[in-house]
Amino acid sequence: MNTLLIMADQFRGDWMSCAGTDFVNTPNIDKIADRGVRFCSAACNGPLCAPSRSSIAGGVYPHRLGVMSNNENFPIDNETYFRILRKHGYRVSLIGKSDLHKPDRFNGRSGSLPLMYHLGFTDLTETEGKMNACFRMPGPPASGIGFEDFVHDADVPDKALAGPYQKYLMDKGLLLDFANDFNDRLFKKPVWYSGVSVLPAEDYQDSFIGKKACEFLENVNDDSPWHLFVSFVGPHDPWDAPAEYFKRFKNKDFPVPEPVPADSNAAKNKPAWIAKKTNTASAGMSSGDLVNIKRHYAAMITLIDDWIGKMLAILDSKGLREETAVIFTSDHGEMLGDHGQFTKNCMYEAALRVPLIISLPGLQGGRTEHGMAELVDLYPTILDIAGINYDRAGLDGQSLLPVVKENKKIDRELQFSELANTRMIFDGKYKFIENYNDLNELYDLENDPGEQENLLPQNPFIGKTLLRKMREICK
């Protein structure tokens, strides 16, 4: 069995038409769901790129890998499911970002560093992440976050390039405009700024990734089974949809949450670090600004969905659909203005929940599973789909294949997620969030799905019980 794993970056679990939203239409993602199982309560194990992606690669929670932020590399000698696949004869390809060595901020001019072969890959076009795509190498100066502007494309030596997408833009004479635009967005504009890309859709980074993925599928032979990991960089911020896609949504209205009064109990019972993050993210933003962000977010999703459609069409045209498992997911969600916040880095539902759809040949699809799936489950699931024997001892993930093939229930009563400064546990009703050196939180998601009322002051026993269970998970 071949496997096609398609991952978006910062894609909310509720922004797909198969999830019931009318914010955006995702007909090609829906095609995967029509032939598969959608895990509607799936959670990431760390709502941040490197921790989440490391837990997928290693099959264990981020703290066991020492990857609790974007400042750590995946431990080089830790087993990965990629390496197990390769050992058993699989061609293992990555096209797009990995973030398994994120602090390096360097992916090689062709995106094929030897490090990634060590982690299990055989074919590589590892691109920069979305925000890293305009960095000059060897990275930002030690004096601060910023970096020198590109002066002109001709002044940038190849060795100064962060990865293959920069090389592509430089070869087309587009790198200067792109880098200057992103410098402006990342370091001069507010968090909530949005505006169309300076690039046409055909040169947008997700189009670069989509083209490379389609080329792989067109050219791959049947000498060996393959696992293709297509890792898009969108709909991650900055909010910069190509003009051709943005125009489809420029007049569309989106709901805007009511601001929470600063003197309300809902605001007072949030931890200080969350309140500070909210103030920073939303300062000066109007409701029109927020609607415009959502228009860009929908447009970026639409572009990704179009490329997914092209990949599925190639599978069909080559007769590969009946011997290929297709999985769609994201590394984490996106706050998108909920609680006055953007991006991720917190344990609220919008950042924690992710799309997860698994499609298998011959499967009676269109099912929705409500059990507590986690992204850490992808490691054993993919290996079980491949029919490979492996060491299950020590894994935190559990295979979802019996759920998909035999309609069995997920054998998990608690979901867990963590970052360097916060962690959460969810029992199906109550979510407990521990914020280190700050106010902890408890929410009844059955009655308060928007996580407005922190119940911990009235229910300390529930909080203590869940904290004890969380500490048992972390032993």
Side-chain angles (χ1 to χ4, degrees):
M1 183 80 70
N2 306 311
T3 51
L4 171 59
L5 171 61
I6 304 169
M7 178 177 286
D9 193 342
Q10 219 160 284
F11 194 123
R12 285 177 65 120
D14 56 353
W15 272 57
M16 305 178 291
S17 41
C18 60
T21 184
D22 60 0
F23 300 153
V24 62
N25 187 31
T26 54
N28 297 301
I29 295 173
D30 295 355
K31 288 178 183 177
I32 304 174
D34 289 343
R35 298 179 62 167
V37 177
R38 183 173 68 88
F39 294 83
C40 62
S41 300
C44 65
N45 297 109
L48 188 61
C49 297
S52 180
R53 290 164 181 265
S54 292
S55 68
I56 293 169
V60 295
Y61 293 137
H63 71 273
R64 305 197 203 284
L65 299 165
V67 184
M68 300 287 282
S69 73
N70 277 340
N71 298 320
E72 295 91 30
N73 291 329
F74 185 89
I76 191 169
D77 289 326
N78 201 93
E79 187 64 283
T80 67
Y81 85 82
F82 308 117
R83 195 154 53 206
I84 295 173
L85 286 171
R86 187 186 66 189
K87 288 177 182 176
H88 287 81
Y90 268 73
R91 183 182 301 279
V92 185
S93 180
L94 165 67
I95 298 171
K97 67 176 282 187
S98 81
D99 274 359
L100 298 178
H101 57 110
K102 190 177 183 73
D104 299 342
R105 290 184 173 174
F106 182 63
N107 303 292
R109 280 156 283 179
S110 63
S112 56
L113 292 179
L115 166 67
M116 298 300 290
Y117 292 93
H118 180 77
L119 293 178
F121 295 97
T122 63
D123 301 82
L124 278 166
T125 304
E126 184 191 12
T127 72
E128 310 89 320
K130 186 164 185 185
M131 285 185 165
N132 290 356
C134 63
F135 288 174
R136 284 190 69 170
M137 290 297 103
S143 58
I145 296 176
F147 43 85
E148 297 176 13
D149 290 340
F150 287 97
V151 181
H152 352 149
D153 297 350
D155 292 342
V156 183
D158 275 3
K159 66 181 181 181
L161 297 174
Y165 182 57
Q166 281 191 1
K167 181 71 166 64
Y168 169 84
L169 291 179
M170 186 170 73
D171 290 346
K172 295 200 70 173
L174 297 170
L175 184 55
L176 175 62
D177 289 343
F178 172 77
N180 286 339
D181 178 55
F182 260 45
N183 270 288
D184 191 52
R185 291 172 186 269
L186 296 179
F187 301 110
K188 299 174 185 176
K189 300 289 188 183
V191 173
W192 44 261
Y193 173 78
S194 63
V196 296
S197 175
V198 297
L199 301 174
E202 66 176 2
D203 295 314
Y204 198 66
Q205 190 171 358
D206 280 331
S207 293
F208 175 82
I209 292 168
K211 287 178 204 170
K212 293 288 185 183
C214 288
E215 288 170 8
F216 176 93
L217 293 173
E218 287 281 11
N219 296 318
V220 68
N221 58 43
D222 59 1
D223 288 349
S224 62
W226 48 264
H227 173 74
L228 173 59
F229 179 17
V230 181
S231 184
F232 290 106
V233 300
H236 195 293
D237 60 306
W239 323 111
D240 69 333
E244 303 99 302
Y245 278 84
F246 180 75
K247 69 181 181 182
R248 305 183 195 182
F249 296 92
K250 67 179 182 179
N251 296 317
K252 183 175 175 61
D253 287 328
F254 290 88
V256 175
E258 290 291 329
V260 178
D263 59 351
S264 67
N265 286 333
K268 290 178 181 177
N269 286 331
K270 297 290 184 185
W273 78 273
I274 287 290
K276 181 179 179 180
K277 188 169 179 280
T278 299
N279 291 336
T280 301
S282 299
M285 181 183 71
S286 69
S287 59
D289 293 324
L290 179 53
V291 169
N292 211 50
I293 288 173
K294 293 186 176 186
R295 289 169 177 163
H296 278 273
Y297 194 71
M300 291 189 283
I301 286 175
T302 300
L303 183 146
I304 291 171
D305 188 76
D306 282 352
W307 281 107
I308 291 173
K310 292 174 183 178
M311 285 186 269
L312 295 179
I314 294 171
L315 290 181
D316 288 336
S317 68
K318 294 187 66 176
L320 290 172
R321 198 69 183 274
E322 296 311 313
E323 52 195 63
T324 304
V326 181
I327 301 171
F328 175 72
T329 191
S330 177
D331 53 356
H332 49 74
E334 160 62 56
M335 292 302 294
L336 209 61
D338 290 4
H339 300 277
Q341 296 198 29
F342 296 97
T343 71
K344 58 277 185 182
N345 289 301
C346 64
M347 294 298 168
Y348 297 134
E349 289 292 279
L352 185 72
R353 301 293 162 191
V354 293
L356 178 58
I357 305 169
I358 300 176
S359 171
L360 297 177
L363 184 72
Q364 184 66 40
R367 285 178 26 225
T368 300
E369 168 59 43
H370 295 269
M372 293 188 184
E374 297 179 348
L375 289 187
V376 77
D377 297 333
L378 286 175
Y379 179 121
T381 302
I382 290 170
L383 293 179
D384 280 355
I385 289 172
I388 290 173
N389 290 323
Y390 59 97
D391 185 4
R392 300 170 190 261
L395 293 181
D396 291 310
Q398 60 176 269
S399 177
L400 300 176
L401 188 59
V403 182
V404 175
K405 287 187 70 174
E406 304 167 37
N407 207 15
K408 292 187 176 180
K409 296 301 178 184
I410 298 175
D411 184 23
R412 178 181 285 121
E413 296 181 353
L414 299 165
Q415 279 180 324
F416 175 71
S417 189
E418 60 182 342
L419 292 174
N421 67 319
T422 182
R423 57 183 178 173
M424 82 91 211
I425 189 170
F426 175 57
D427 68 1
K429 177 177 173 63
Y430 291 105
K431 178 199 281 189
F432 175 77
I433 304 173
E434 183 180 20
N435 298 296
Y436 303 156
N437 300 314
D438 209 330
L439 184 69
N440 294 333
E441 301 166 84
L442 177 69
Y443 299 102
D444 178 354
L445 294 190
E446 287 184 355
N447 297 303
D448 179 23
E451 300 167 292
Q452 295 297 316
E453 185 177 2
N454 183 359
L455 300 175
L456 193 59
Q458 307 99 284
N459 298 275
F461 177 77
I462 296 175
K464 289 178 181 178
T465 300
L466 290 174
L467 177 60
R468 184 176 66 251
K469 292 181 178 180
M470 184 158 56
R471 287 173 176 168
E472 290 173 358
I473 289 174
C474 292
K475 284 182 179 178

